[in-house]
Amino acid sequence: MPQPSCTRILPTLSRRSVVAGATAAALTRSAWPAAAAFEDDGNATAAIAHIAAGREIKPGRVKLVLPELAENGNVVALSVEVESAMTATDFVKTIHIIAGQNPLAIIARYHLGPRSGRARVQSTIRLATTQTVTALAEMSDGTLWSGTMSVLVTLSACLDGG
Amino acid sequence: MADTPHPTRISMPATAKRGDIIDIKTLIQHEMETGYRRDANGRVIPRDIVAHFEVRYLDEIIFAADTFAGVSANPYFAFSTIVGDSGPVTFTWTDLAGRKTVETRTLTVT
């Protein structure tokens, strides 16, 4: 199976070869305050370890729903719901969406709070290829819970036109 | 690219009862250029994405998202909030260069 064209393009390029590369990189870093020390190179295990920072990740409480078969990797509907009372003292702080076969492992972080009412977020994501997507929920008490879903992608998000 | 804001679509009720949980759906028209594609001359097209999205209700953040190249073009988000007092709900999308698109809706409590 041919690798999607985008999968590993960036690491092989020198920053100088990218138009305005240095500027863009600096801006990228400044826009990621929570992950300032983390260089996302597409390694999901490293990304999850960085988020966990030594804490235990328990499977459960996170319901991640993606289509089992995604015909177009450019637009994959995502729904994530976390079991939580969502009260002032017990709520979901952050939901991380991680995909290890994408050029960047971290797709998005959703920040919630007691004012959210429900810990449910829906969005659309890109998937470079067939893979397992992980949703990691960080609770107000610091515990981490995870849910996963495998998606078969027939058209990569990395082909031109997307 | 000019500083013109991107077109957006926001779906939320104009009125609601205190204590209700309401659903809010938002979409911004944005390419979300990943930085991995090349143009016809083989040059990498620079990354141009919405990096942050924030929703404030009466100045309190009720939802925020850090978004990266793995978010689809025309980023869509659906989330919810608990109705408190009447007031403005402000939606702010910020791209990598710091350019902002801001929209405001008013929620009236009945």
Side-chain angles (χ1 to χ4, degrees):
Chain A
M1 197 170 115
Q3 277 293 312
S5 58
C6 71
T7 308
R8 291 292 178 253
I9 282 184
L10 200 63
T12 65
L13 283 170
S14 75
R15 286 190 195 278
R16 280 172 203 279
S17 71
V18 181
V19 182
T23 322
L27 287 165
T28 305
R29 267 195 286 278
S30 68
W32 294 5
F38 178 69
E39 193 77 37
D40 190 344
D41 61 359
N43 184 330
T45 312
I48 291 169
H50 176 77
I51 294 161
R55 289 172 291 177
E56 184 195 356
I57 299 170
K58 296 181 201 123
R61 287 181 69 175
V62 180
K63 191 179 170 198
L64 175 65
V65 179
L66 293 155
E68 283 177 21
L69 176 73
E71 293 200 2
N72 183 355
N74 286 304
V75 187
V76 183
L78 173 149
S79 170
V80 59
E81 187 162 7
V82 184
E83 282 173 33
S84 167
M86 294 306 275
T87 61
T89 51
D90 175 16
F91 57 92
V92 179
K93 263 170 68 179
T94 308
I95 303 172
H96 306 258
I97 306 297
I98 297 145
Q101 300 299 317
N102 273 15
L104 295 176
I106 299 174
I107 292 180
R109 285 190 289 263
Y110 310 126
H111 304 282
L112 308 178
R115 295 305 309 256
S116 298
R118 257 197 304 263
R120 187 176 73 196
V121 179
Q122 289 163 330
S123 187
T124 50
I125 63 168
R126 290 175 168 139
L127 292 177
T129 185
T130 295
Q131 58 184 304
T132 299
V133 180
T134 302
L136 201 59
E138 204 169 346
M139 306 295 183
S140 52
D141 63 4
T143 56
L144 293 164
W145 297 83
S146 73
T148 60
M149 174 90 197
S150 296
V151 186
L152 190 71
V153 178
T154 49
L155 173 67
S156 163
C158 297
L159 300 177
D160 270 350
Chain B
M1 200 176 291
D3 263 355
T4 47
H6 292 264
T8 63
R9 283 172 63 188
I10 296 166
S11 161
M12 61 174 272
T15 61
K17 288 195 181 72
R18 187 182 303 271
D20 276 3
I21 296 175
I22 57 164
D23 290 316
I24 302 176
K25 296 173 185 173
T26 67
L27 185 141
I28 182 167
Q29 283 182 32
H30 195 288
E31 283 290 311
M32 294 296 280
E33 187 59 57
T34 59
Y36 297 114
R37 295 195 310 149
R38 292 171 184 275
D39 64 16
N41 297 318
R43 283 186 297 256
V44 170
I45 306 169
R47 180 170 291 170
D48 177 17
I49 63 171
V50 172
H52 190 70
F53 174 52
E54 192 174 281
V55 184
R56 283 171 185 267
Y57 170 32
L58 287 164
D59 241 16
E60 188 179 353
I61 297 176
I62 55 166
F63 178 77
D66 302 311
T67 49
F68 302 94
V71 172
S72 298
N74 306 325
Y76 164 82
F77 297 106
F79 48 93
S80 55
T81 191
I82 298 177
V83 177
D85 295 323
S86 293
V89 183
T90 307
F91 305 81
T92 308
W93 292 262
T94 309
D95 73 8
L96 276 180
R99 291 176 295 232
K100 289 180 195 298
T101 299
V102 183
E103 290 283 337
T104 302
R105 298 286 184 276
T106 303
L107 182 63
T108 304
V109 176
T110 54

CSV table of all heavy atoms in Angstrom, one decimal, chain B residues 60-106:
chain,number,residue,atom,x,y,z
B,60,GLU,N,-17.1,34.3,30.6
B,60,GLU,CA,-16.5,33.1,31.1
B,60,GLU,C,-16.3,32.1,30.0
B,60,GLU,O,-17.2,31.9,29.1
B,60,GLU,CB,-17.5,32.5,32.2
B,60,GLU,CG,-16.9,31.3,32.9
B,60,GLU,CD,-17.9,30.8,34.0
B,60,GLU,OE1,-18.9,31.4,34.2
B,60,GLU,OE2,-17.5,29.7,34.5
B,61,ILE,N,-15.2,31.5,29.9
B,61,ILE,CA,-14.9,30.5,28.8
B,61,ILE,C,-15.8,29.3,29.1
B,61,ILE,O,-15.7,28.6,30.1
B,61,ILE,CB,-13.4,30.1,28.8
B,61,ILE,CG1,-12.6,31.4,28.4
B,61,ILE,CG2,-13.2,29.0,27.7
B,61,ILE,CD1,-11.1,31.2,28.4
B,62,ILE,N,-16.6,28.9,28.1
B,62,ILE,CA,-17.4,27.7,28.2
B,62,ILE,C,-16.9,26.6,27.4
B,62,ILE,O,-17.2,25.4,27.6
B,62,ILE,CB,-18.9,28.0,27.9
B,62,ILE,CG1,-19.0,28.6,26.5
B,62,ILE,CG2,-19.5,28.9,29.0
B,62,ILE,CD1,-20.5,28.6,26.0
B,63,PHE,N,-16.1,26.9,26.3
B,63,PHE,CA,-15.5,25.9,25.5
B,63,PHE,C,-14.3,26.5,24.8
B,63,PHE,O,-14.3,27.7,24.4
B,63,PHE,CB,-16.5,25.4,24.4
B,63,PHE,CG,-16.0,24.4,23.5
B,63,PHE,CD1,-15.8,23.1,23.9
B,63,PHE,CD2,-15.6,24.7,22.2
B,63,PHE,CE1,-15.3,22.1,23.0
B,63,PHE,CE2,-15.0,23.8,21.3
B,63,PHE,CZ,-14.9,22.4,21.8
B,64,ALA,N,-13.3,25.7,24.7
B,64,ALA,CA,-12.1,26.1,23.9
B,64,ALA,C,-11.5,24.9,23.2
B,64,ALA,O,-11.7,23.8,23.7
B,64,ALA,CB,-11.1,26.8,24.8
B,65,ALA,N,-10.8,25.1,22.1
B,65,ALA,CA,-10.1,24.0,21.5
B,65,ALA,C,-8.8,24.5,20.9
B,65,ALA,O,-8.7,25.6,20.4
B,65,ALA,CB,-11.0,23.5,20.3
B,66,ASP,N,-7.8,23.7,21.1
B,66,ASP,CA,-6.5,23.9,20.4
B,66,ASP,C,-6.5,23.0,19.2
B,66,ASP,O,-6.7,21.7,19.3
B,66,ASP,CB,-5.3,23.5,21.3
B,66,ASP,CG,-5.3,24.3,22.6
B,66,ASP,OD1,-5.4,25.5,22.5
B,66,ASP,OD2,-5.2,23.7,23.7
B,67,THR,N,-6.4,23.5,18.0
B,67,THR,CA,-6.5,22.7,16.8
B,67,THR,C,-5.3,22.7,16.0
B,67,THR,O,-4.5,23.7,15.9
B,67,THR,CB,-7.7,23.2,16.0
B,67,THR,OG1,-7.6,24.6,15.8
B,67,THR,CG2,-9.0,22.9,16.7
B,68,PHE,N,-5.0,21.5,15.4
B,68,PHE,CA,-3.8,21.3,14.6
B,68,PHE,C,-4.1,20.9,13.2
B,68,PHE,O,-5.3,20.9,12.8
B,68,PHE,CB,-2.9,20.3,15.4
B,68,PHE,CG,-2.6,20.7,16.8
B,68,PHE,CD1,-3.4,20.3,17.8
B,68,PHE,CD2,-1.5,21.6,17.1
B,68,PHE,CE1,-3.1,20.7,19.1
B,68,PHE,CE2,-1.3,22.0,18.3
B,68,PHE,CZ,-2.1,21.6,19.4
B,69,ALA,N,-3.1,20.5,12.5
B,69,ALA,CA,-3.3,20.2,11.0
B,69,ALA,C,-4.3,19.0,10.8
B,69,ALA,O,-4.8,18.9,9.7
B,69,ALA,CB,-2.0,19.9,10.4
B,70,GLY,N,-4.5,18.2,11.9
B,70,GLY,CA,-5.4,17.1,11.7
B,70,GLY,C,-6.8,17.4,11.8
B,70,GLY,O,-7.7,16.5,11.8
B,71,VAL,N,-7.2,18.7,12.0
B,71,VAL,CA,-8.6,19.1,12.0
B,71,VAL,C,-9.0,19.4,10.5
B,71,VAL,O,-8.2,20.1,9.8
B,71,VAL,CB,-8.8,20.3,12.9
B,71,VAL,CG1,-10.2,20.8,12.8
B,71,VAL,CG2,-8.5,19.9,14.4
B,72,SER,N,-10.1,19.0,10.1
B,72,SER,CA,-10.6,19.1,8.7
B,72,SER,C,-10.7,20.6,8.3
B,72,SER,O,-10.8,21.5,9.2
B,72,SER,CB,-12.0,18.5,8.6
B,72,SER,OG,-11.9,17.1,8.8
B,73,ALA,N,-10.7,20.8,7.0
B,73,ALA,CA,-11.0,22.2,6.5
B,73,ALA,C,-12.4,22.6,7.0
B,73,ALA,O,-13.2,21.7,7.2
B,73,ALA,CB,-10.9,22.2,5.0
B,74,ASN,N,-12.6,23.9,7.1
B,74,ASN,CA,-13.9,24.4,7.7
B,74,ASN,C,-14.2,23.8,9.0
B,74,ASN,O,-15.2,23.1,9.2
B,74,ASN,CB,-15.0,24.1,6.7
B,74,ASN,CG,-14.7,24.7,5.3
B,74,ASN,OD1,-14.0,25.7,5.2
B,74,ASN,ND2,-15.1,24.0,4.3
B,75,PRO,N,-13.3,24.0,10.0
B,75,PRO,CA,-13.5,23.4,11.3
B,75,PRO,C,-14.9,23.6,11.9
B,75,PRO,O,-15.4,24.7,12.0
B,75,PRO,CB,-12.5,24.1,12.2
B,75,PRO,CG,-11.4,24.6,11.2
B,75,PRO,CD,-12.2,24.9,10.0
B,76,TYR,N,-15.4,22.4,12.3
B,76,TYR,CA,-16.8,22.4,12.9
B,76,TYR,C,-16.7,21.9,14.3
B,76,TYR,O,-16.0,21.0,14.6
B,76,TYR,CB,-17.6,21.4,12.0
B,76,TYR,CG,-18.9,20.9,12.7
B,76,TYR,CD1,-20.1,21.7,12.6
B,76,TYR,CD2,-19.0,19.7,13.3
B,76,TYR,CE1,-21.2,21.3,13.2
B,76,TYR,CE2,-20.2,19.3,13.9
B,76,TYR,CZ,-21.3,20.1,13.9
B,76,TYR,OH,-22.4,19.6,14.5
B,77,PHE,N,-17.4,22.5,15.2
B,77,PHE,CA,-17.5,22.1,16.6
B,77,PHE,C,-18.9,22.1,17.0
B,77,PHE,O,-19.6,23.1,16.8
B,77,PHE,CB,-16.7,23.0,17.5
B,77,PHE,CG,-15.2,23.0,17.1
B,77,PHE,CD1,-14.6,24.1,16.5
B,77,PHE,CD2,-14.4,21.9,17.5
B,77,PHE,CE1,-13.3,24.1,16.2
B,77,PHE,CE2,-13.1,21.9,17.2
B,77,PHE,CZ,-12.5,23.0,16.5
B,78,ALA,N,-19.3,21.1,17.7
B,78,ALA,CA,-20.6,21.1,18.5
B,78,ALA,C,-20.3,20.8,19.9
B,78,ALA,O,-19.5,19.9,20.2
B,78,ALA,CB,-21.5,20.1,17.9
B,79,PHE,N,-20.9,21.6,20.8
B,79,PHE,CA,-20.6,21.5,22.2
B,79,PHE,C,-21.9,22.0,22.9
B,79,PHE,O,-22.9,22.3,22.3
B,79,PHE,CB,-19.4,22.2,22.6
B,79,PHE,CG,-19.3,23.6,22.1
B,79,PHE,CD1,-19.8,24.7,22.8
B,79,PHE,CD2,-18.8,23.9,20.8
B,79,PHE,CE1,-19.7,26.0,22.3
B,79,PHE,CE2,-18.8,25.2,20.3
B,79,PHE,CZ,-19.3,26.2,21.1
B,80,SER,N,-21.8,22.1,24.3
B,80,SER,CA,-23.0,22.5,25.0
B,80,SER,C,-22.6,23.5,26.1
B,80,SER,O,-21.5,23.6,26.5
B,80,SER,CB,-23.8,21.3,25.5
B,80,SER,OG,-22.9,20.5,26.3
B,81,THR,N,-23.6,24.1,26.7
B,81,THR,CA,-23.4,24.9,27.9
B,81,THR,C,-24.7,25.0,28.7
B,81,THR,O,-25.8,24.8,28.2
B,81,THR,CB,-22.9,26.4,27.5
B,81,THR,OG1,-22.5,27.0,28.7
B,81,THR,CG2,-24.0,27.2,26.9
B,82,ILE,N,-24.5,25.4,30.0
B,82,ILE,CA,-25.7,25.5,30.9
B,82,ILE,C,-26.1,27.0,30.8
B,82,ILE,O,-25.3,27.9,30.9
B,82,ILE,CB,-25.3,25.1,32.3
B,82,ILE,CG1,-24.9,23.6,32.4
B,82,ILE,CG2,-26.5,25.4,33.2
B,82,ILE,CD1,-24.5,23.2,33.7
B,83,VAL,N,-27.4,27.2,30.7
B,83,VAL,CA,-27.9,28.6,30.6
B,83,VAL,C,-27.9,29.2,32.0
B,83,VAL,O,-28.4,28.6,32.9
B,83,VAL,CB,-29.3,28.6,30.0
B,83,VAL,CG1,-29.9,30.0,30.0
B,83,VAL,CG2,-29.3,28.0,28.6
B,84,GLY,N,-27.3,30.4,32.1
B,84,GLY,CA,-27.3,31.2,33.3
B,84,GLY,C,-28.1,32.5,33.1
B,84,GLY,O,-29.3,32.4,32.9
B,85,ASP,N,-27.4,33.6,33.1
B,85,ASP,CA,-28.1,34.9,32.8
B,85,ASP,C,-28.1,35.2,31.4
B,85,ASP,O,-27.3,34.7,30.6
B,85,ASP,CB,-27.3,36.0,33.6
B,85,ASP,CG,-27.4,35.8,35.1
B,85,ASP,OD1,-28.4,35.3,35.6
B,85,ASP,OD2,-26.4,36.1,35.8
B,86,SER,N,-28.9,36.2,31.0
B,86,SER,CA,-28.9,36.7,29.6
B,86,SER,C,-27.6,37.4,29.4
B,86,SER,O,-27.1,38.1,30.3
B,86,SER,CB,-30.1,37.7,29.4
B,86,SER,OG,-31.3,37.1,29.6
B,87,GLY,N,-27.1,37.3,28.2
B,87,GLY,CA,-25.9,38.0,27.9
B,87,GLY,C,-25.3,37.5,26.6
B,87,GLY,O,-25.8,36.6,25.9
B,88,PRO,N,-24.1,38.1,26.2
B,88,PRO,CA,-23.5,37.8,25.0
B,88,PRO,C,-22.7,36.5,25.0
B,88,PRO,O,-22.1,36.1,26.1
B,88,PRO,CB,-22.5,39.0,24.8
B,88,PRO,CG,-22.2,39.5,26.1
B,88,PRO,CD,-23.4,39.2,27.0
B,89,VAL,N,-22.7,35.8,23.9
B,89,VAL,CA,-21.8,34.6,23.7
B,89,VAL,C,-20.9,35.0,22.6
B,89,VAL,O,-21.3,35.4,21.5
B,89,VAL,CB,-22.6,33.4,23.3
B,89,VAL,CG1,-21.7,32.2,23.2
B,89,VAL,CG2,-23.7,33.1,24.4
B,90,THR,N,-19.6,35.0,22.9
B,90,THR,CA,-18.6,35.5,21.9
B,90,THR,C,-17.7,34.3,21.5
B,90,THR,O,-17.2,33.5,22.3
B,90,THR,CB,-17.7,36.6,22.6
B,90,THR,OG1,-18.5,37.6,23.1
B,90,THR,CG2,-16.8,37.2,21.5
B,91,PHE,N,-17.6,34.2,20.1
B,91,PHE,CA,-16.8,33.2,19.5
B,91,PHE,C,-15.6,33.8,18.9
B,91,PHE,O,-15.7,34.7,18.1
B,91,PHE,CB,-17.7,32.5,18.4
B,91,PHE,CG,-19.0,32.0,18.9
B,91,PHE,CD1,-20.1,32.8,19.1
B,91,PHE,CD2,-19.2,30.6,19.3
B,91,PHE,CE1,-21.3,32.4,19.5
B,91,PHE,CE2,-20.4,30.2,19.7
B,91,PHE,CZ,-21.5,31.0,19.9
B,92,THR,N,-14.4,33.3,19.2
B,92,THR,CA,-13.2,33.8,18.7
B,92,THR,C,-12.3,32.7,18.1
B,92,THR,O,-12.0,31.7,18.8
B,92,THR,CB,-12.3,34.5,19.7
B,92,THR,OG1,-13.2,35.5,20.4
B,92,THR,CG2,-11.1,35.2,19.1
B,93,TRP,N,-12.0,32.8,16.8
B,93,TRP,CA,-11.1,31.8,16.1
B,93,TRP,C,-9.8,32.6,15.9
B,93,TRP,O,-9.8,33.7,15.3
B,93,TRP,CB,-11.7,31.4,14.8
B,93,TRP,CG,-12.9,30.6,14.8
B,93,TRP,CD1,-13.0,29.2,14.7
B,93,TRP,CD2,-14.3,31.0,14.8
B,93,TRP,NE1,-14.3,28.8,14.7
B,93,TRP,CE2,-15.1,29.9,14.8
B,93,TRP,CE3,-14.9,32.3,14.9
B,93,TRP,CZ2,-16.5,29.9,14.8
B,93,TRP,CZ3,-16.3,32.3,15.0
B,93,TRP,CH2,-17.1,31.2,14.9
B,94,THR,N,-8.7,32.0,16.2
B,94,THR,CA,-7.4,32.6,16.0
B,94,THR,C,-6.5,31.7,15.2
B,94,THR,O,-6.4,30.5,15.5
B,94,THR,CB,-6.7,32.9,17.4
B,94,THR,OG1,-7.6,33.5,18.2
B,94,THR,CG2,-5.4,33.7,17.2
B,95,ASP,N,-5.9,32.2,14.1
B,95,ASP,CA,-5.1,31.4,13.3
B,95,ASP,C,-3.6,31.5,13.7
B,95,ASP,O,-3.3,32.2,14.7
B,95,ASP,CB,-5.2,31.8,11.8
B,95,ASP,CG,-4.5,33.1,11.4
B,95,ASP,OD1,-3.8,33.7,12.2
B,95,ASP,OD2,-4.7,33.5,10.2
B,96,LEU,N,-2.7,30.7,13.1
B,96,LEU,CA,-1.3,30.6,13.5
B,96,LEU,C,-0.6,32.0,13.5
B,96,LEU,O,0.3,32.2,14.3
B,96,LEU,CB,-0.6,29.7,12.5
B,96,LEU,CG,-0.6,28.2,12.8
B,96,LEU,CD1,0.2,27.5,11.7
B,96,LEU,CD2,-0.2,27.9,14.2
B,97,ALA,N,-1.1,32.9,12.6
B,97,ALA,CA,-0.4,34.2,12.6
B,97,ALA,C,-1.1,35.2,13.6
B,97,ALA,O,-0.7,36.3,13.6
B,97,ALA,CB,-0.5,34.8,11.2
B,98,GLY,N,-2.0,34.7,14.3
B,98,GLY,CA,-2.7,35.6,15.3
B,98,GLY,C,-3.9,36.3,14.8
B,98,GLY,O,-4.4,37.1,15.6
B,99,ARG,N,-4.2,36.1,13.6
B,99,ARG,CA,-5.4,36.8,13.0
B,99,ARG,C,-6.7,36.2,13.6
B,99,ARG,O,-6.8,35.0,13.7
B,99,ARG,CB,-5.4,36.7,11.5
B,99,ARG,CG,-4.3,37.5,10.8
B,99,ARG,CD,-4.4,37.2,9.3
B,99,ARG,NE,-4.1,35.8,9.1
B,99,ARG,CZ,-3.2,35.4,8.2
B,99,ARG,NH1,-2.4,36.3,7.5
B,99,ARG,NH2,-2.9,34.1,8.0
B,100,LYS,N,-7.6,37.1,14.0
B,100,LYS,CA,-8.8,36.6,14.7
B,100,LYS,C,-10.1,36.8,13.9
B,100,LYS,O,-10.2,37.8,13.1
B,100,LYS,CB,-9.0,37.4,16.0
B,100,LYS,CG,-7.9,37.0,17.0
B,100,LYS,CD,-8.2,37.8,18.3
B,100,LYS,CE,-7.0,37.8,19.2
B,100,LYS,NZ,-6.7,36.4,19.7
B,101,THR,N,-11.0,35.9,14.0
B,101,THR,CA,-12.4,36.1,13.5
B,101,THR,C,-13.3,36.1,14.7
B,101,THR,O,-13.2,35.1,15.5
B,101,THR,CB,-12.7,35.0,12.5
B,101,THR,OG1,-11.8,35.0,11.4
B,101,THR,CG2,-14.2,35.1,12.1
B,102,VAL,N,-14.0,37.1,15.0
B,102,VAL,CA,-14.8,37.2,16.2
B,102,VAL,C,-16.3,37.4,15.8
B,102,VAL,O,-16.6,38.2,15.0
B,102,VAL,CB,-14.4,38.4,17.1
B,102,VAL,CG1,-15.2,38.4,18.4
B,102,VAL,CG2,-12.9,38.3,17.4
B,103,GLU,N,-17.2,36.6,16.5
B,103,GLU,CA,-18.6,36.7,16.3
B,103,GLU,C,-19.3,36.7,17.6
B,103,GLU,O,-18.8,36.1,18.6
B,103,GLU,CB,-19.1,35.5,15.5
B,103,GLU,CG,-18.7,35.4,14.0
B,103,GLU,CD,-19.6,36.4,13.2
B,103,GLU,OE1,-20.7,36.8,13.6
B,103,GLU,OE2,-19.1,36.7,12.1
B,104,THR,N,-20.4,37.4,17.7
B,104,THR,CA,-21.1,37.5,19.0
B,104,THR,C,-22.6,37.2,18.8
B,104,THR,O,-23.2,37.7,17.8
B,104,THR,CB,-20.9,38.9,19.7
B,104,THR,OG1,-19.5,39.1,19.9
B,104,THR,CG2,-21.6,38.9,21.0
B,105,ARG,N,-23.2,36.4,19.6
B,105,ARG,CA,-24.6,36.2,19.6
B,105,ARG,C,-25.1,36.5,21.0
B,105,ARG,O,-24.4,36.5,22.0
B,105,ARG,CB,-25.0,34.7,19.3
B,105,ARG,CG,-24.5,34.2,18.0
B,105,ARG,CD,-25.4,34.8,16.9
B,105,ARG,NE,-25.0,34.3,15.6
B,105,ARG,CZ,-24.1,34.8,14.8
B,105,ARG,NH1,-23.3,35.8,15.2
B,105,ARG,NH2,-23.8,34.2,13.6
B,106,THR,N,-26.4,36.8,21.1
B,106,THR,CA,-27.0,37.1,22.4
B,106,THR,C,-27.9,36.0,22.8
B,106,THR,O,-28.8,35.6,22.1
B,106,THR,CB,-27.7,38.5,22.4
B,106,THR,OG1,-26.8,39.5,22.0
B,106,THR,CG2,-28.2,38.9,23.8
